[in-house]
Amino acid sequence: MRCLFVHNHYLERGGEDESVKAEIQMLRDQGHDVEVHIDTNERIAQIGKLSAGVQSIWSNPTYKAINQRLQSSTFDIVHIQNFFPLVSPAAHYAAKSNGVPVVQSLRNYRLICPNGLLHRNRQVCEQCVDKFIPLPGIQHKCYRNSYLASAVAATTLVTHRVLRTWQRQVDAFITPCEFTRQKFIQAGFPANKLFVKPNFVSFDPGFSELGGDHFLFVGRLAPEKGLEILVEAWSRLDQRLKLKIVGSGPLEEWIRSKACQHKHIEYLGFQPHAITQGLISQAKALIFPSTWYETFGRVVIEAFASGTPVIASDIGGIPEMVRHERNGLLFAPKDSEDLIDKVLCLDASPDNNQKMRRNARDDFERYYTAESNYRILMDIYQKAIASCQTPPIATLEARFGI
């Protein structure tokens, strides 16, 4: 199979980029020919924010580049990962105008929420989910805390709702969990085109039967990740319980100051993947305290790969991964008291901890390896190919001279 992967990198590399990289390598390892069309937000500094805003709605350079690529060679699938902001939905139209099936990964809520998170002012927010015009997203400056930026993001949503882009230009959508799939169905996306495929870990760090003496947070240091709840809980825990924090982001200086105040909190900053995985393997448990509707937690399955249990907030797609008292513990979102209880519970029961470690590793081997993921992805590709209809003669290129 020949596949064209389309992806727009953010400025800060995260789990989404790692997942895209892993999927490309997985397909190549299975003998498929994968080419890539990559854009990056580093280019915004060159073209300016105004031009980037216009391109987020429709990018002529993207359309021409992908159209030329598809006309010069035969592809079986165009798999679009992230298209926001610079790639734009022009990629979908270029693929369909050439009769190539389109698969769109949905790793966030960008197509139904201007900021992509369904989260505002440290609260879950669904005000725009059922609105054709997402005015609340503009009123609350949901994207980059800017009326103008939020208006541009909302305009992208409305434009492609009017054009029925997601109904007509996509043959299959991939969500990382059932919770996210249901949110898109609620927003009016076609249920028969929405398929669940979790992320996976392409490497195997090996089972670490004995965890260390520390708890660990790994992730972007942002409000929606629940860091305030985590620090509040740890400030009230006994100092023998050590917490290590790995990552970078907008709350970095705040985390540094809290680590200075509480000696049993250690901030390690951003760390290379190998070092981070070592910290995960040696942890008594990974803490995953998100307050938004997580679509997936890549670091959770990295913990499972080592047999490290996870203490996580009971929200979004997390409970589909972290099963209470099997491979970890769930606590009520934003409830520091409940988080404290779960930490003390795990710490006080070495036998249960060992049982959860073995279960976590079992779940990794069953659900989150490249082998199991490959079978799911191939099935989705085949469904997309089967549902792909011959494009109309009057393509956008012919109608509008694009």
Side-chain angles (χ1 to χ4, degrees):
M1 185 175 284
R2 295 203 71 218
C3 311
L4 176 63
F5 267 52
V6 180
H7 185 52
N8 193 133
H9 284 296
Y10 297 121
L11 286 176
E12 292 183 13
R13 190 175 182 87
E16 181 174 311
D17 294 315
E18 293 300 323
S19 295
V20 173
K21 179 182 176 182
E23 282 187 1
I24 292 172
Q25 190 58 52
M26 175 182 70
L27 289 170
R28 287 174 174 168
D29 289 344
Q30 292 289 341
H32 300 289
D33 183 3
V34 183
E35 295 188 20
V36 296
H37 175 91
I38 299 292
D39 212 331
T40 172
N41 284 359
E42 293 177 356
R43 199 163 61 83
I44 293 177
Q46 303 170 7
I47 65 175
K49 292 182 179 180
L50 180 59
S51 178
V54 173
Q55 284 195 35
S56 71
I57 302 170
W58 180 271
S59 170
N60 272 330
T62 293
Y63 186 91
K64 291 177 180 178
I66 293 180
N67 184 55
Q68 181 178 9
R69 200 161 190 168
L70 296 178
Q71 289 186 352
S72 64
S73 185
T74 301
F75 287 87
D76 300 292
I77 284 284
V78 172
H79 188 160
I80 300 172
Q81 300 280 347
N82 173 48
F83 61 81
F84 185 83
L86 296 178
V87 170
S88 87
H92 303 75
Y93 283 88
K96 294 299 285 184
S97 70
N98 285 277
V100 183
V102 175
V103 174
Q104 171 69 61
S105 288
L106 300 172
R107 302 184 189 276
N108 54 42
Y109 302 99
R110 182 75 64 192
L111 303 189
I112 57 177
C113 169
N115 70 17
L117 298 175
L118 295 180
H119 193 270
R120 176 174 62 83
N121 291 339
R122 292 170 166 76
Q123 302 284 341
V124 167
C125 174
E126 299 187 44
Q127 289 188 22
C128 293
V129 170
D130 59 353
K131 291 181 174 59
F132 191 85
I133 301 176
L135 287 176
I138 302 173
Q139 294 166 349
H140 298 298
K141 301 186 293 185
C142 288
Y143 184 60
R144 296 193 176 278
N145 197 33
S146 162
Y147 286 121
L148 180 59
S150 299
V152 170
T155 300
T156 299
L157 295 182
V158 173
T159 299
H160 292 284
R161 285 170 184 171
V162 170
L163 293 173
R164 294 182 60 78
T165 296
W166 314 125
Q167 288 76 16
R168 295 171 175 170
Q169 307 299 323
V170 180
D171 299 291
F173 295 94
I174 298 177
T175 67
C177 67
E178 181 61 29
F179 179 90
T180 303
R181 179 176 181 270
Q182 291 301 323
K183 285 298 171 191
F184 278 95
I185 291 173
Q186 177 187 340
F189 281 65
N192 65 323
K193 290 186 178 183
L194 284 158
F195 303 96
V196 176
K197 183 190 77 67
N199 294 327
F200 66 97
V201 172
S202 56
F203 64 93
D204 188 348
F207 178 45
S208 177
E209 189 168 353
L210 297 174
D213 62 351
H214 68 270
F215 292 82
L216 180 69
F217 171 90
V218 177
R220 186 167 183 267
L221 307 184
E224 67 272 9
K225 292 297 184 179
L227 287 158
E228 292 167 322
I229 305 302
L230 177 61
V231 170
E232 180 185 345
W234 232 267
S235 68
R236 294 156 56 193
L237 282 165
D238 192 292
Q239 292 204 359
R240 68 179 179 81
L241 297 173
K242 308 297 183 184
L243 172 67
K244 296 184 179 183
I245 297 176
V246 174
S248 60
L251 294 182
E252 184 170 338
E253 290 307 314
W254 181 80
I255 289 293
R256 286 186 191 278
S257 67
K258 292 300 179 180
C260 290
Q261 294 174 28
H262 306 288
K263 299 306 179 184
H264 57 319
I265 299 177
E266 182 181 5
Y267 175 51
L268 301 176
F270 175 82
Q271 295 294 326
H273 186 265
I275 294 176
T276 300
Q277 189 61 51
L279 290 166
I280 292 173
S281 299
Q282 298 159 15
K284 185 171 292 187
L286 178 83
I287 313 292
F288 197 72
S290 285
T291 60
W292 74 292
Y293 288 152
E294 288 275 1
T295 59
F296 200 85
R298 184 177 179 82
V299 70
V300 171
I301 59 174
E302 291 178 349
F304 288 169
S306 295
T308 301
V310 178
I311 300 176
S313 50
D314 188 0
I315 191 172
I318 298 173
E320 296 177 39
M321 305 167 64
V322 181
R323 289 182 281 173
H324 189 62
E325 296 184 342
R326 172 177 167 79
N327 53 24
L329 299 172
L330 294 169
F331 68 93
K334 303 180 68 174
D335 189 335
S336 59
E337 283 286 349
D338 198 18
L339 173 55
I340 289 171
D341 287 345
K342 297 306 186 292
V343 170
L344 294 176
C345 177
L346 187 144
D347 181 65
S349 181
D351 289 343
N352 281 342
N353 185 287
Q354 285 303 109
K355 187 184 298 183
M356 285 190 288
R357 296 188 79 86
R358 288 191 293 272
N359 290 338
R361 175 66 188 187
D362 287 346
D363 286 347
F364 162 71
E365 293 176 350
R366 184 177 300 178
Y367 303 115
Y368 304 116
T369 64
E371 291 76 16
S372 62
N373 205 272
Y374 173 72
R375 291 191 294 270
I376 299 171
L377 184 58
M378 283 296 100
D379 184 57
I380 295 171
Y381 281 179
Q382 293 301 332
K383 286 182 169 64
I385 291 170
S387 68
C388 182
Q389 298 177 354
T390 303
I393 297 175
T395 63
L396 284 178
E397 188 172 25
R399 289 170 62 193
F400 303 121
I402 294 171

